[in-house]
Amino acid sequence: MTTRSKGSGYLSERSPGVWRLRVELGLDPLTQKRQTINETYRGTRKVAQARLNEMLAQHAGRPASSITVGDLVELWQRTSEHRTETAKTYAYALKHLPPQLAERKARDVRLIEIERIYRSLSTAGVGLHMIAKLQSALHTAYANGVRLGLVPSNPAAGARTPKIAKRATTMPTADVVAKVLEAALERDLQFGVWLDLAAMTGARRGELIALTWDAVDLKRGVVTIRRSISKGGEVNSTKNDKTRHVPIDATTVSLLQEWRSAQRERAIAAGVELAADPYVLSNVADCGQPWRADGATQRWRRLADHLQVAKGVRLNDLRHAHQSILLDSGEVGLPTVRDLAGHSAVSQMTLERYGHSNAASMRSAIGVLRRTITSSDS
C-alpha cells in the first residue's frame, strides 16, 4: 500500500517511459486540504527515482500551506492591532501590490522579485514613501506568516526599496521661534496660544489638539498630556501610550487664562453653554469639537509663508526647536529634554541609563527656554 504521510513520495508509470512523481506535503493548515507536488518525468525508472529523491530533498520541511501573498496580507490586516489611521495608510500602500504578486503562492516568492516590483513602481511614478510603506506591510505580513508556520521564510526581509532623498532639516533658531510666536498672537489669540504651547511644551500637533481644559491646571502651571488626535480625527492615547505632566510658565498661563475667558464670552454671545469637557483649541462656540489636524497645519503654513524667516520651516520643526534650544543652552540635560518631549525609546534620545528628570528640573528647563526665546527677540 502506498504511504501518503507528509514528506513521503512515490512514482507510477503512466505509459512506457513516462512517470508520475508525487511528493506529499500534508494538510494545508488553513484549508485542511491535502497538498501535493506533482511532476511528469520521462526516462528510465532509475532516473525517475533519482528525480523523485531530488524533489523530496527540495521540499523537506516545507510548510504545507498554499496561502497566497494576498491571503497572507489579508490575514495580517485582520489580526493586527493598528490604530485606524495607521491601518488606512497600510491599506492605501497595499493597493500598489501588483495582482500577479498577490495571486502567487507566498512560499514561492523570492526577494529579487519583490525588489524588481519596487523598481517598477518607482519608474511608474509611485512615491518612494509609499513604496517604503508597502515594503513595511509585506515584511510584517510575511513575518506573521512565518510565526504561524504558513511560510518557511520571509523574502521581504532585507528587501531594498529605492532610496528616499533626505530632506534638509530647517531648524528654527530661538530668534525665529520668537518672531513666529509674536506673529501668531497678532493674527489671533487662539492661534498664538496654540503655537506658544507647541514651542514651550514640545508637544506633538495631535497632543495639543486633543487637549481639554480639565487637563490644564492653571494654578499649578501644569498641562497633562494623555491623548492625541490623528489626522483622521481619531482620539488615541499618546504615541508611546504614556501620560506626561508638562510644566508651563507664567506667560503661557496668562495666555491660557485670557483665551479661556474669550471662549466663555464667545459662548455667551452665541447663546450656548460650554461643553461638559471643552477643548482648549476649538472653533465652535461650545468648544465641544477640537481643531482638525490638517486645518491646524494649513494655518501654520500660511503663517510660515508670510514670515520670511520661517519659510521652509515645518510645524514639527517647532518641536525639534524646543529640544534643540534646550540642549544648546547647556543648562538642561538630555533626560529632562526627553521627558518633556515625551520620548520613550533609547534610540530616540539615548542616554536612558542616566535616569529620569524630576518636576523641578522640567520647570527649570521651561524657564531656560522662555528666557532664551525672549532674549533673542530683544
Side-chain angles (χ1 to χ4, degrees):
M1 186 173 77
T2 303
T3 301
R4 295 192 175 184
S5 61
K6 178 180 177 180
S8 63
Y10 65 93
L11 55 84
S12 60
E13 193 171 25
R14 305 299 299 275
S15 60
V18 179
W19 301 86
R20 183 185 184 188
L21 314 181
R22 173 173 291 182
V23 173
E24 295 289 339
L25 296 179
L27 297 180
D28 187 306
L30 291 182
T31 65
Q32 292 300 301
K33 292 182 179 179
R34 184 167 148 245
Q35 301 292 298
T36 62
I37 299 290
N38 297 294
E39 184 177 308
T40 299
Y41 194 86
R42 289 176 170 78
T44 64
R45 183 183 185 91
K46 184 176 181 180
V47 294
Q49 182 63 57
R51 172 56 187 154
L52 179 61
N53 292 340
E54 288 179 4
M55 292 172 63
L56 286 168
Q58 179 183 355
H59 299 291
R62 190 177 194 178
S65 175
S66 61
I67 190 170
T68 65
V69 173
D71 292 334
L72 202 64
V73 167
E74 183 182 351
L75 176 64
W76 166 65
Q77 287 179 298
R78 285 203 317 266
T79 57
S80 63
E81 298 181 350
H82 292 132
R83 292 178 175 179
T84 303
E85 202 65 30
T86 303
K88 286 180 180 178
T89 302
Y90 275 125
Y92 185 72
L94 285 164
K95 288 182 179 180
H96 296 89
L97 185 69
Q100 63 268 29
L101 179 63
E103 294 165 4
R104 287 276 305 283
K105 287 185 177 180
R107 67 191 182 199
D108 294 334
V109 176
R110 299 292 176 263
L111 182 147
I112 191 170
E113 299 175 70
I114 294 176
E115 290 190 344
R116 189 179 298 125
I117 286 171
Y118 293 158
R119 289 195 295 271
S120 297
L121 289 173
S122 178
T123 301
V126 177
L128 300 186
H129 285 282
M130 189 59 61
I131 296 173
K133 185 62 70 173
L134 174 60
Q135 157 64 9
S136 176
L138 275 180
H139 181 279
T140 312
Y142 259 105
N144 186 54
V146 171
R147 181 181 65 84
L148 296 173
L150 301 176
V151 285
S153 61
N154 184 350
R160 296 177 180 176
T161 60
K163 289 186 177 180
I164 300 172
K166 290 185 177 180
R167 177 190 182 275
T169 301
T170 308
M171 183 68 70
T173 62
D175 178 59
V176 171
V177 173
K179 286 181 169 58
V180 162
L181 297 184
E182 181 181 2
L185 281 170
E186 287 176 355
R187 291 200 167 197
D188 71 74
L189 178 58
Q190 181 172 206
F191 192 39
V193 166
W194 171 48
L195 290 186
D196 187 84
L197 280 169
M200 298 306 297
T201 67
R204 300 173 177 89
R205 176 188 66 177
E207 293 171 341
L208 293 177
I209 291 174
L211 204 61
T212 51
W213 282 107
D214 69 336
V216 179
D217 189 332
L218 295 176
K219 290 183 178 179
R220 292 175 54 231
V222 174
V223 171
T224 299
I225 298 174
R226 64 172 71 97
R227 302 186 307 173
S228 181
I229 293 180
S230 70
K231 185 178 179 181
E234 179 186 12
V235 179
N236 302 297
S237 58
T238 60
K239 189 173 183 179
N240 56 19
D241 296 321
K242 291 183 178 179
T243 295
R244 64 186 190 276
H245 305 284
V246 182
I248 52 177
D249 68 352
T251 300
T252 302
V253 168
S254 178
L255 287 172
L256 285 167
Q257 289 173 330
E258 186 180 354
W259 171 236
R260 191 169 194 181
S261 296
Q263 281 185 325
R264 289 169 176 158
E265 291 174 4
R266 184 178 64 178
I268 292 173
V272 299
E273 293 185 1
L274 288 175
D277 190 15
Y279 284 93
V280 173
L281 301 173
S282 177
N283 289 331
V284 297
D286 70 349
C287 301
Q289 296 293 325
W291 273 5
R292 287 171 51 91
D294 55 355
T297 300
Q298 287 170 11
R299 294 191 71 174
W300 163 258
R301 286 174 180 164
R302 286 195 292 270
L303 176 65
D305 288 343
H306 173 72
L307 289 175
Q308 189 64 37
V309 294
K311 282 190 180 296
V313 177
R314 301 171 303 172
L315 176 58
N316 199 46
D317 291 336
L318 272 188
R319 174 173 162 81
H320 297 155
H322 166 93
Q323 300 164 37
S324 177
I325 293 169
L326 287 175
L327 290 173
D328 288 346
S329 72
E331 300 179 50
V332 183
L334 269 170
T336 301
V337 177
R338 176 204 57 201
D339 290 347
L340 281 169
H343 287 303
S344 59
V346 176
S347 61
Q348 290 176 299
M349 286 300 293
T350 69
L351 300 186
E352 177 75 13
R353 62 183 177 273
Y354 290 155
H356 295 274
S357 60
N358 55 43
S361 61
M362 291 173 74
R363 186 167 295 283
S364 175
I366 297 301
V368 170
L369 184 61
R370 178 69 72 183
R371 188 171 65 249
T372 304
I373 293 174
T374 303
S375 63
S376 68
D377 193 39
S378 58

